[in-house]
Amino acid sequence: MTDIANMKMTPRHYYIVFVASLGQMIGTSVATLAGIIIPMLNIIQHPELSSFMQGLIGAADLIGIIFGSVIFGRLSDRYGYLFFFRFCPALILVASIAGILFPSVATLTICLFLIGMGIGGEYSLDSDYISELMPARYRSLMVGVAKAGCALGNILVAAICFGLLSYWESAELWPDLLWIVAITAALMILLRIRFYQSPKWLMDKGRVTDAEDAARKFFGPDASIACDSDAGSHDRPDTKISMGMRRYGSLRNRCVSSDSRDGTRTGTLFAWRESHIACNRFSKNHLVDQLHYPAWILNRSLSDQQKT
């Protein structure tokens, strides 16, 4: 039996990173999409949208991210990751289709807010799943890859919209751009059907048997999850996660820091979240942080890899 913290990287690990990374991609996709839809609305609106409404539409998903990170973050800590890992893309899907079926400025604003809430939940959960399921040696690198991969969302949506707008003859087709978000969310739901509860979360709740079963479902019959307690203490509420993993628990309860309690570096373990709810409450440098954190994470992660 091999502890999941000591496993080698397998195709299943890369699959988990890919599935979790889709939440990052869809987050930046929506931000890019909003910036494309606003001028299309100005073309067909008479009179044009006011500056306030343009700003409100552009900020709606970001406001939703703030609320979603807090609400779904707390709920998933209490009730488990899996349900909300599936619910968040479902919320994004429903809100996107609503925006397509009922096209108006008011509906778009509300739908973007709901989409943002789903994205906020994604930002909370993807780091949790990756950091808790990856081998210890690759955790920081894989979290960094997932977070830095959000740039793909911007690039892909910009390229798709460029192709569509080059073909379309009317700006009134703007609601159809939301199909990009809807299709991505549907793909996320399908990929998460055969996903399981986090073994680390289960272990933290004292459900050792369930945690061991989840580890085997993720990585095969030889996978296991270590426990600090002895064999006779299984399923006790005070059972603790091995190797000090509790301090690697929820990103929502941690700030990015260069020093951990036992002297090891954890600065890159829990990577940047675009909302920065826990660590950067409405900092004046928030925009600068969003632009530089992904590159900083990968830099630090690769440095850690070289040292190990």
Side-chain angles (χ1 to χ4, degrees), residues 75-83 196-217 224-227 229 233-241:
L75 290 175
S76 61
D77 274 344
R78 178 174 296 183
Y79 300 109
Y81 304 165
L82 183 59
F83 173 80
Y196 310 101
Q197 190 62 267
S198 167
K200 301 294 183 183
W201 183 86
L202 291 168
M203 185 70 80
D204 188 41
K205 297 299 181 181
R207 297 165 56 181
V208 178
T209 302
D210 291 338
E212 293 172 345
D213 183 57
R216 288 190 293 268
K217 288 180 178 178
S224 66
I225 179 169
C227 178
S229 306
S233 61
H234 281 203
D235 296 319
R236 279 171 26 192
D238 61 345
T239 301
K240 304 299 181 181
I241 297 173

Side-chain angles (χ1 to χ4, degrees), residues 25 43 67 75 112 152 155 157 163 166 182 187 190 213-214 258 260 263 268 272 307:
M25 293 178 62
I43 292 174
F67 283 92
L75 290 175
L112 285 175
L152 291 175
I155 296 170
V157 166
S166 299
L187 176 63
L190 292 175
D213 183 57
S258 296
S260 68
T268 59
W272 159 76
K307 291 182 180 181

